[in-house]
Amino acid sequence: MSAAELAATSAAPAPSTATAPATAAGLVASDSGAHWSERYSRALMDTFGAPQRVLVRGEGAYVWDADGNRYLDLLAGIAVNALGHAHPTLTAAISAQLGTLGHVSNFFGSPTQIALAERLLELAQAPEGSRVFFANSGTEANEAAFKMARRTGRPRILALEGSFHGRTMGALALTHKAAYRAPFEPLPGGVEFIPFGDSAALEAALDENVAALFVEPIQGEAGVRPLPPGYLARARELTRACGALLVIDEVQTGMGRTGAWLAHQHPHLGGGIVPDVVTLAKGLGGGFPIGAAVAYGERAASLLGRGQHGTTFGGNPVGAAAALATIAVIDRDGLLEHVREIGAQLRSEIAALGHPLVAAVRGEGLLLAIELTSPVAVELAARALEAGFIINPVRPDTIRLAPPLILTRAQAADFVGFLAGVPRTATPDPEVSR
């Protein structure tokens, strides 16, 4: 659809202002969205582009901007806000921990840090001898896994075409997209990319010089692209045979996002395999920054020795308390089953629209992609934002949905209703797509 068509279409309701909340924060109440955006452009580096909106408050699956408009958040901070916004259990846990013990250096331990490591090993179904390294984010969790691979003494590391593992230098070396890599080359060496989901190519690439294979069960940044059934099981067989580590990046897919604690635990994705390392972040802290590298078994868990890696904030008591609270709510409220049900509802209802703009819906649980028949994802996301829905044009022809795990049936239906009202013809608009 063109920008003109988008502007002319007014069937969908305007963002609601009826429930715009008052806030006690004078800072937030003091300015309009336009003024905040102007101040943003003067004060922040231009690494993300101009903000689409300046958000001031969230509650459940909704957020509000500085002008009082409400939006259904179907991106959740890119798969981060597992429990939505301002969840009372999460905010209470963080407040209580911050009021008790806010931060200690990693020269010391804390009960929440230790309890979280034990809980993650349990959820990961990790064998005896397994250990956890805590980081601040997903890219740092992958940096830890990268260094573990280096410690094997082998020179080669394999990753898949289409991969995204982060933007720090080691994780960036594992990331396939040329536009992300080129401005920062030379990157750490030894990384080779092999075709996505091609078991024969993997078998041909593996030998006793390969330290590790890095894979995502579902490639999020590549457009929510699941590995074909059987690939991970075959990768496990092949890496074990040659002594290479199998590193599964569950930064986006982990902690219930797909309806299982870890995506590779789905029989059709992982088939019950035991990896060597799993990396986590995003939904782990429910919005509080924390990442983790889970090493399975004594071999992987002992690759990094004392002084060979570190972090200032990783696993601090507040982050660990946030993660424990997030896990407890997912468990208590049956959110894994809920995610499977709501995800299936979204997939089936979007497909049932028969909308000519929708080519396919794919993904797992509440990590979904709407593949479009034209490269108009940017225009569609802009139209959705105007109508009160936050979605992500992850590729020119693909929309990514990663809403809070608490998304209700009615909220999902609201978005499907929006899609039903989108113009049925589509023409890329170079002015919007630029």
Side-chain angles (χ1 to χ4, degrees), residues 80 82-83 89-90 255 261 283-287 321-331 335:
V80 167
L83 306 183
T89 303
L90 181 59
M255 306 316 297
W261 286 111
L284 176 58
L324 283 169
T326 301
I327 292 168
V329 172
I330 292 172
D331 201 17
L335 292 183

Side-chain angles (χ1 to χ4, degrees), residues 388-399:
F389 300 96
I390 295 176
I391 59 177
N392 176 225
V394 68
R395 294 174 57 86
D397 62 352
T398 308
I399 293 292

Side-chain angles (χ1 to χ4, degrees), residues 84-379:
H85 300 271
H87 193 284
T89 303
L90 181 59
T91 54
I94 291 172
S95 297
Q97 185 60 52
L98 194 58
T100 304
L101 183 67
H103 177 77
V104 296
S105 80
N106 280 304
F107 298 133
F108 301 89
S110 71
T112 51
Q113 176 196 52
I114 296 164
L116 177 60
E118 293 172 341
R119 188 74 172 113
L120 289 180
L121 292 174
E122 181 183 3
L123 297 178
Q125 302 169 13
E128 184 68 26
S130 302
R131 301 283 188 277
V132 177
F133 176 84
F134 285 118
N136 305 312
S137 64
T139 194
E140 292 177 38
N142 284 326
E143 288 286 336
F146 193 109
K147 291 179 75 173
M148 292 167 69
R150 283 283 198 255
R151 288 286 298 149
T152 66
R154 298 181 175 195
R156 300 174 62 210
I157 296 177
L158 303 181
L160 303 190
E161 292 175 356
S163 62
F164 181 88
H165 296 288
R167 296 177 190 257
T168 53
M169 292 299 275
L172 185 59
L174 298 164
T175 294
H176 182 245
K177 191 172 183 177
Y180 294 161
R181 298 165 53 86
F184 305 101
E185 291 175 340
L187 297 170
V191 178
E192 303 167 29
F193 295 99
I194 58 176
F196 173 84
D198 187 334
S199 297
L202 172 61
E203 184 171 4
L206 280 168
D207 60 27
E208 293 183 353
N209 289 316
V210 173
L213 167 68
F214 281 71
V215 294
E216 303 156 90
I218 302 172
Q219 290 188 337
E221 298 296 316
V224 188
R225 190 164 60 153
L227 283 171
Y231 183 88
L232 276 175
R234 183 62 176 151
R236 177 68 287 183
E237 291 175 2
L238 294 171
T239 50
R240 181 175 288 125
C242 71
L245 299 175
L246 175 60
V247 181
I248 301 184
D249 180 339
E250 295 254 17
V251 167
Q252 188 164 153
T253 57
M255 306 316 297
R257 169 58 51 190
T258 67
W261 286 111
L262 302 174
H264 78 269
Q265 293 174 342
H266 285 293
H268 58 283
L269 283 176
I273 64 167
V274 178
D276 294 299
V277 182
V278 165
T279 55
L280 300 167
K282 292 198 179 289
L284 176 58
F288 198 96
I290 184 170
V294 180
Y296 288 63
E298 288 285 357
R299 180 202 177 203
S302 61
L303 284 168
L304 291 177
R306 293 179 179 179
Q308 292 180 337
H309 199 42
T311 172
T312 295
F313 298 105
N316 96 347
V318 183
L324 283 169
T326 301
I327 292 168
V329 172
I330 292 172
D331 201 17
R332 182 195 70 191
D333 294 351
L335 292 183
L336 297 184
E337 182 179 2
H338 177 78
V339 164
R340 295 193 293 270
E341 292 176 355
I342 299 297
Q345 175 192 334
L346 267 170
R347 290 183 64 156
S348 64
E349 291 185 354
I350 293 172
L353 290 175
H355 199 295
L357 194 57
V358 177
V361 188
R362 61 174 177 269
E364 192 79 37
L366 285 176
L367 181 60
L368 297 175
I370 304 172
E371 183 179 337
L372 306 175
T373 52
S374 300
V376 293
V378 171
E379 293 94 328

Side-chain angles (χ1 to χ4, degrees), residues 30-49:
S30 65
D31 255 330
S32 67
H35 196 192
W36 277 117
S37 294
E38 182 185 345
R39 291 172 62 179
Y40 179 106
S41 67
R42 290 200 305 265
L44 279 82
M45 289 188 186
D46 190 25
T47 53
F48 298 102

Side-chain angles (χ1 to χ4, degrees), residues 1-10 355 357 372 374-384 386 418 421-434:
M1 82 202 78
S2 67
E5 287 173 312
L6 290 170
T9 303
S10 56
H355 199 295
L357 194 57
L372 306 175
S374 300
V376 293
V378 171
E379 293 94 328
L380 181 58
R383 176 72 182 88
E386 289 300 316
F418 157 75
V422 169
R424 300 180 75 80
T425 56
T427 304
D429 186 336
E431 293 301 318
V432 176
S433 302
R434 185 175 296 167

Side-chain angles (χ1 to χ4, degrees), residues 67-84:
D67 297 318
N69 300 308
R70 191 185 73 175
Y71 304 88
L72 181 61
D73 185 1
L74 296 169
L75 185 57
I78 310 184
V80 167
N81 299 304
L83 306 183

